[in-house]
Amino acid sequence: MVVLLVIVLVVVAGVIAVYWWQRPMLLTGTGYAAHNACAVTQVSGREDPETDLPPNPLVPYLRESVDGDQTTGSLFGVLAAQHAWYTEGFGCTLDGDRPELGTASAATSEGNPFTDAATPAADPALDAALAKAFGDDLPTEQADALGTRAVVVAKGGELVAERYADGFDATTPQLGWSMSKSATELMTGMLVKQGVVSLGDDHLRPEWTDGRADITVEQLLRMTSGLEWDETYDLGTPITQMLYGERDMGAYVAGLPLESEPGTVQEYSSGSTTLLCSVLAERTGLGADLPRQKLLAPLGLSSGVFEPDAAGTPVCSSYLWATPRDWTALGQFALQGGEWNGEQLLPDDWMEQTLTVTDVTATDDPGYGMAWRVNVMPDGSLRWPNLPEDTFYASGHDGQKIIVVPSEDLVVTRLGFTPEADDEPSEVELVADAIAALR
């Protein structure tokens, strides 16, 4: 009996040890599940959050439960629990307790030409282009893997085509993931125009008394801050720790050491953009309401929800939800160089600076300007040879794209859920076909 008891205790101790060893990874899974279930149901208004969970060995064991505005994600319903709290206007925030975020400012659709626009008339050539983007010509399994959920095409500032997958329509907000960075870049330009901040501002955090004090706003936008980072979604990496393990994401990123001299190396970093928003939120005194007052309301993006962390910092790297039409409006704003309803909201040369790729000694993302990517690569080649040279775009995880072609006065938005298939060829083909159809 004593031997059996010892064996049982050893096994239990081993299980507990393995659990605590793996707990950071488990919290990533349960945090993702809690936030996803909360946002898909409360922000997007859908009832199928499981369809937004990427393939992962943990998925069959994840459980979500809802209690009012609180959504809990856990393993087997008991382990590694994470809680997401819904706040009207601010979406869902991970924290042990309900965060105090204040009241969200109103953001109406006033001035947005796309919100209430009539459904575009059928056009055989455009309809055929959209059909290919949805994989109508593919076997069902491949079309499902492509996962296109929405396509919107605007020409000359007017909607000319749109299509939505079953369960989605023109009023369904969808998560842009890293397209949030491109939206943040435009908001930063608006604050520069207002004199709130400048690209050359440094000494951005009071605790930075070493080389980090030299980091500028522009370097955070260009991903050349030099702060240590790893964008790999894996156990213990900065990106998973920031999104699923930190109440104050900006402070976490600010506490990372330098690994290169600011301005010399480009390394894609979601931390840089969220850190920037912590600076902007503090400088304006607006906290979580920053994007609503300084981006969403001025552009009439009434569907937009920019989710914050528990400290009230908008998670500007990843968490902007908006309808496909509102995402298209952001692209249109960029296409127009910051002019909106007769008012110049960006500095006159902002988009020129945005689309200028600076020299660095190394990069993991050639052709990355200030949070938007360009078609002409640093060596002069074209990223997408069958699209015009002046094409630029915003891109997000799982196949989100806003592709802008100034020479064609064209904006094409594609949203979907594509965790495994290569969606980019279909998006490039969509834009090329749209150009041909509209000439």
Side-chain angles (χ1 to χ4, degrees):
M1 180 64 72
V2 173
V3 173
L4 179 60
L5 179 59
V6 169
I7 292 173
V8 170
L9 290 175
V10 169
V11 170
V12 170
V15 170
I16 292 173
V18 169
Y19 168 69
W20 281 103
W21 173 52
Q22 292 291 333
R23 194 167 185 268
M25 182 183 71
L26 301 180
L27 287 172
T28 296
T30 57
Y32 191 109
H35 177 265
N36 174 75
C38 177
V40 168
T41 55
Q42 301 280 7
V43 179
S44 190
R46 294 161 41 211
E47 298 180 354
D48 55 352
E50 68 281 354
T51 63
D52 281 31
L53 290 176
N56 186 288
L58 284 179
V59 169
Y61 311 107
L62 293 172
R63 304 291 184 268
E64 297 92 37
S65 62
V66 179
D67 181 8
D69 291 338
Q70 177 186 4
T71 300
T72 300
S74 64
L75 195 64
F76 301 112
V78 293
L79 298 176
Q82 290 259 49
H83 308 284
W85 303 85
Y86 175 72
T87 304
E88 184 69 30
F90 293 132
C92 297
T93 298
L94 285 178
D95 198 28
D97 300 306
R98 168 174 284 286
E100 297 297 329
L101 303 173
T103 302
S105 296
T108 71
S109 60
E110 183 178 358
N112 185 336
F114 302 136
T115 304
D116 298 319
T119 301
D123 178 289
L126 283 174
D127 291 346
L130 269 60
K132 283 194 288 184
F134 274 81
D136 287 3
D137 58 333
L138 299 175
T140 300
E141 184 176 338
Q142 293 181 33
D144 290 343
L146 183 58
T148 304
R149 291 176 168 178
V151 171
V152 176
V153 181
K155 171 81 169 180
E158 296 184 359
L159 291 183
V160 294
E162 64 181 343
R163 177 175 162 179
Y164 303 95
D166 291 343
F168 297 81
D169 60 30
T171 67
T172 307
Q174 298 191 48
L175 180 58
W177 286 108
S178 285
M179 293 201 303
S180 308
K181 297 178 174 70
S182 304
T184 298
E185 194 268 351
L186 297 176
M187 179 178 69
T188 304
M190 296 165 75
L191 292 172
V192 169
K193 175 74 171 178
Q194 296 165 21
V196 174
V197 68
S198 71
L199 285 175
D201 283 356
D202 56 15
H203 290 78
L204 301 176
R205 299 278 301 198
E207 70 270 31
W208 283 355
T209 57
D210 54 12
R212 293 173 297 181
D214 295 331
I215 297 171
T216 66
V217 168
E218 181 170 1
Q219 288 162 357
L220 290 176
L221 286 171
R222 292 190 180 278
M223 309 295 188
T224 59
S225 72
L227 289 172
E228 184 177 279
W229 192 256
D230 184 350
E231 191 75 12
T232 307
Y233 283 77
D234 202 351
L235 175 64
T237 60
I239 179 60
T240 55
Q241 180 62 29
M242 182 186 80
L243 290 177
Y244 307 112
E246 299 293 333
R247 296 188 73 256
D248 188 335
M249 299 186 193
Y252 166 72
V253 179
L256 297 173
L258 285 176
E259 61 180 359
S260 60
E261 181 183 347
T264 62
V265 174
Q266 185 177 62
E267 180 178 33
Y268 188 83
S269 166
S270 290
S272 290
T273 314
T274 296
L275 172 58
L276 173 61
C277 269
S278 74
V279 172
L280 299 178
E282 187 277 331
R283 185 166 295 193
T284 59
L286 296 176
D289 208 37
L290 166 68
R292 297 192 69 81
Q293 291 194 35
K294 297 299 183 179
L295 176 71
L296 305 179
L299 299 185
L301 307 180
S302 57
S303 72
V305 174
F306 228 135
E307 297 175 305
D309 67 12
T313 297
V315 186
C316 289
S317 63
S318 313
Y319 284 167
L320 175 57
W321 294 76
T323 63
R325 288 187 174 196
D326 276 357
W327 282 113
T328 303
L330 275 170
Q332 187 67 34
F333 180 58
L335 172 63
Q336 294 173 184
E339 184 277 326
W340 202 245
N341 294 310
E343 183 178 1
Q344 185 64 33
L345 301 182
L346 293 177
D348 292 340
D349 63 347
W350 184 261
M351 290 310 299
E352 180 181 353
Q353 293 184 74
T354 295
L355 303 177
T356 298
V357 177
T358 56
D359 291 331
V360 289
T361 58
T363 178
D364 62 359
D365 199 342
Y368 192 91
M370 289 201 302
W372 294 77
R373 293 176 176 85
V374 299
N375 199 24
V376 180
M377 304 295 277
D379 64 2
S381 65
L382 293 184
R383 184 191 305 270
W384 297 327
N386 54 338
L387 295 185
E389 289 187 3
D390 63 350
T391 300
F392 65 95
Y393 70 105
S395 181
H397 184 56
D398 283 342
Q400 322 313 319
K401 290 282 195 306
I402 304 170
I403 301 177
V404 182
V405 188
S407 56
E408 300 291 337
D409 205 5
L410 183 70
V411 179
V412 177
T413 298
R414 185 270 189 187
L415 297 169
F417 181 66
T418 317
E420 295 186 295
D422 183 3
D423 52 278
E424 190 168 287
S426 72
E427 294 150 3
V428 174
E429 184 178 18
L430 166 65
V431 176
D433 288 347
I435 289 173
L438 291 165
R439 281 181 172 170

